[in-house]
Amino acid sequence: MVEATARPRRHRSSTTRVVDAQAVIALADTAMIQILNDVGTRVWNLIDGHRSVQEIVAAVRGQLETEGYSSVSEGLDRDVEIFFEDLSAHGLITWSGAGS
Amino acid sequence: MEITSYREIIGRSFIESRPLNAQWELTFKCNHLCGFCYNAPTGQRELTTDEIKRGLEKILDLGVLYITLTGGEAMVRPDFFEICEHARHLGFALRVYSNGYLIDEEKARRLKEVDTFEMEISIHGAKPETHDRLTGIRGSFDRLIAGLGHLRKQRIKTSLKCPITHLNQDELHQIWDIARSFECSMSWDPVIMPRDDGDTSPLALSANKEFLDRFFSDEFKLLRHGADVEKRDDTVTLTNCGTGKVSFTIDPYGNIFPCVAWRRKWANIKDVENLAELWRSSEVLKQVRWAAEQIPKTTLKQAESGDFCNFCPGVAERQTGSPFKMYPQAEAVAEARLTAYNNKQAERTGDAGVSPALASHPCRRHS
């Protein structure tokens, strides 16, 4: 369960390059490469250790709606929550704030 | 179209000439004396710490993911960790090639602290006498083994690589066991290269032909990660190799080359203003990319074993004067791979397992 007020932070050993609007993340801690899709990349780009989950969701929703992807933004809260759980499970993020 | 795997990223980088890796030879100084080393120091002044740091900043614009620090032995530089830290500060993933000699507990801890993504360590034998003979340094095997222990303790991903020579060719299974005992992946290089100045004396250490035939047989299948020999498949990348496309190499003097093997200078990191622009416009890079695309259609197509040849235009140019001309080491390995392939095909079809008449095949003409 990811709390809406928790603030994710990228793992310090991660390196990101964006290739064709998709984030390629190299995580030294586990020596793994992860590739994110478009929405995942938008979320990842907003993770700075300061923004909370709900702020990130709101920002991504705003981006999608501005770009005419309103249908994608439906169910976004749950999708992003699952995504954060996945990032956490892979060691790509740590948490501060309310916790998760 | 959405990318779903790192393999696709690499494939796209091949096609679009988008570099993922910058390999930087920080120094030609080394604490080993390997007879098969391809480095050829010229005596010029090597780059200072500040010059390297500024160079790393110039590379940022290219969107490179990895910086690979190598040498010589990169870790002999007193500023090695300062350079690592700067590379990490700039946001590069860090890979280090080393002989492992200097990796004690403290160095391993610092490699972890700078978030080293991967270490690649050279091993030359399963026994001290073999490894030390090839490195020219007594005690180097023991230091290597100790270093591997320290890296494992720090949980740093480590790969071992072994250039196969006629001195270590009979120890490969034992080397494999060492890799497994340290939870390292393992790769083999059956081709010894001439030195960068064209000196071919390292080739005298090459594995012999009888061994190469065995190496690609089932006897060594486990060491080849269970893979049967397959034909080359250039249908995705449409090129012989990634030279000037997915990677580039910088030497200790700042000269930038299309790759580690093809030493055609296309810039110097000290002088270049806009590296990304030069990556697109350099005539040298255009030439090597063109050559890499032609090789499957020319050099490899003309050779009977071409479908099995890992051809390096850089080595070819150094050794024969032409990047398109077959050279003996590539030919020998290709023949061994072809023999293994044909034997496997014959096995599958219930044939007697007769190997092809290699004595007359076109590659032979060059040797």
Side-chain angles (χ1 to χ4, degrees):
Chain A
M1 180 69 184
V2 174
E3 290 186 23
T5 54
R7 294 191 299 273
R9 180 184 295 279
R10 297 181 189 182
H11 193 282
R12 55 160 290 201
S13 78
S14 66
T15 298
T16 308
R17 289 290 178 271
V18 177
V19 178
D20 296 338
Q22 287 186 248
V24 180
I25 307 167
L27 185 66
D29 202 49
T30 56
M32 296 295 289
I33 300 272
Q34 300 286 339
I35 297 163
L36 307 184
N37 65 15
D38 173 65
V39 177
T41 300
R42 291 169 190 261
V43 172
W44 181 259
N45 285 340
L46 291 164
I47 296 174
D48 60 2
H50 301 292
R51 291 187 180 90
S52 67
V53 169
Q54 63 192 8
E55 287 169 334
I56 290 171
V57 172
V60 172
R61 175 173 285 115
Q63 289 176 12
L64 293 172
E65 290 179 354
T66 302
E67 294 170 31
Y69 299 117
S70 300
S71 60
V72 180
S73 77
E74 289 169 21
L76 190 66
D77 300 67
R78 180 61 191 141
D79 287 347
V80 173
E81 183 178 333
I82 292 169
F83 179 62
F84 275 124
E85 286 171 353
D86 203 34
L87 291 177
S88 206
H90 282 93
L92 287 159
I93 54 171
T94 55
W95 293 97
S96 59
S100 63
Chain B
M1 193 165 55
E2 190 174 296
I3 305 168
T4 56
S5 71
Y6 189 60
R7 181 181 290 267
E8 284 177 62
I9 299 265
I10 295 172
R12 220 176 262 197
S13 296
F14 262 85
I15 292 164
E16 297 170 7
S17 297
R18 192 161 41 191
L20 288 172
N21 178 50
Q23 181 167 332
W24 199 318
E25 296 169 331
L26 293 180
T27 180
F28 281 147
K29 295 186 181 76
C30 189
N31 45 17
H32 283 13
L33 300 165
C34 304
F36 49 82
C37 180
Y38 55 79
N39 286 163
T42 64
Q44 289 170 262
R45 178 182 67 79
E46 297 189 345
L47 297 184
T48 64
T49 313
D50 284 343
E51 286 170 335
I52 292 171
K53 286 182 173 178
R54 281 198 294 275
L56 288 168
E57 288 155 18
K58 291 177 182 178
I59 294 171
L60 264 182
D61 289 343
L62 279 169
V64 161
L65 178 63
Y66 296 107
I67 290 289
T68 302
L69 302 180
T70 180
E73 171 53 43
M75 293 183 73
V76 302
R77 277 190 72 120
D79 56 1
F80 171 75
F81 283 105
E82 188 178 344
I83 293 166
C84 291
E85 282 165 6
H86 195 65
R88 286 295 300 139
H89 171 72
L90 294 172
F92 295 109
L94 184 65
R95 292 198 291 209
V96 177
Y97 294 173
S98 169
N99 58 35
Y101 189 85
L102 292 174
I103 301 174
D104 56 15
E105 191 169 1
E106 165 70 6
K107 296 278 193 336
R109 187 182 57 74
R110 294 192 69 185
L111 285 163
K112 184 69 177 178
E113 278 175 1
V114 294
D115 297 317
T116 305
F117 185 82
E118 182 177 19
M119 293 292 296
E120 203 167 297
I121 307 282
S122 304
I123 183 168
H124 305 294
K127 297 181 289 193
E129 49 269 38
T130 310
H131 182 89
D132 293 1
R133 183 175 172 192
L134 279 160
T135 63
I137 300 295
R138 188 175 295 172
S140 58
F141 180 80
D142 292 340
R143 294 279 292 256
L144 163 69
I145 295 300
L148 293 176
H150 296 310
L151 291 171
R152 183 174 56 173
K153 191 174 168 192
Q154 292 293 338
R155 295 190 307 112
I156 296 173
K157 181 186 178 189
T158 303
S159 305
L160 295 184
K161 58 184 173 186
C162 175
I164 303 174
T165 67
H166 66 82
L167 295 177
N168 64 20
Q169 64 187 27
D170 296 324
E171 297 178 21
L172 303 194
H173 283 96
Q174 291 79 13
I175 293 173
W176 173 261
D177 289 340
I178 290 171
R180 288 184 61 192
S181 71
F182 286 101
E183 300 168 29
C184 299
S185 58
M186 184 78 226
S187 64
W188 313 95
D189 190 351
V191 176
I192 301 294
M193 300 202 297
R195 289 196 211 288
D196 289 335
D197 60 6
D199 176 2
T200 56
S201 60
L203 307 188
L205 283 164
S206 297
N208 57 46
K209 180 178 179 345
E210 292 70 29
F211 174 78
L212 288 176
D213 284 343
R214 284 172 53 209
F215 182 70
F216 292 103
S217 72
D218 280 353
E219 181 185 349
F220 287 86
K221 187 172 178 177
L222 180 67
L223 276 60
R224 301 193 317 271
H225 306 280
D228 283 324
V229 173
E230 299 291 348
K231 289 185 180 181
R232 288 175 60 96
D233 181 5
D234 302 318
T235 52
V236 176
T237 61
L238 304 174
T239 184
N240 174 69
C241 59
T243 187
K245 286 175 172 276
V246 295
S247 178
F248 58 89
T249 294
I250 305 174
D251 78 4
Y253 318 122
N255 299 313
I256 317 180
F257 305 107
C259 64
V260 69
W262 204 347
R263 303 256 162 180
R264 276 200 197 179
K265 178 181 167 183
W266 58 275
N268 187 293
I269 197 74
K270 284 184 296 186
D271 309 326
V272 67
E273 293 292 331
N274 186 334
L275 197 60
E277 169 54 29
L278 194 57
W279 175 262
R280 284 187 290 274
S281 64
S282 161
E283 288 303 320
V284 172
L285 290 176
K286 285 178 187 171
Q287 287 166 15
V288 301
R289 288 169 191 152
W290 175 82
E293 285 164 12
Q294 297 307 305
I295 285 163
K297 297 181 246 177
T298 55
T299 313
L300 301 183
K301 197 164 188 178
Q302 289 157 15
E304 188 178 330
S305 57
D307 283 341
F308 299 89
C309 188
N310 292 324
F311 185 83
C312 173
V315 174
E317 183 166 85
R318 212 180 313 155
Q319 212 166 313
T320 73
S322 165
F324 296 101
K325 194 169 179 185
M326 187 63 75
Y327 52 97
Q329 311 95 293
E331 182 182 68
V333 171
E335 286 176 3
R337 288 167 53 84
L338 174 61
T339 301
Y341 179 82
N342 282 330
N343 285 341
K344 199 59 157 179
Q345 295 300 311
E347 234 175 64
R348 285 175 183 155
T349 57
D351 205 341
V354 178
S355 60
L358 289 172
S360 62
H361 93 67
C363 272
R364 281 301 214 194
R365 293 179 202 143
H366 303 292
S367 56

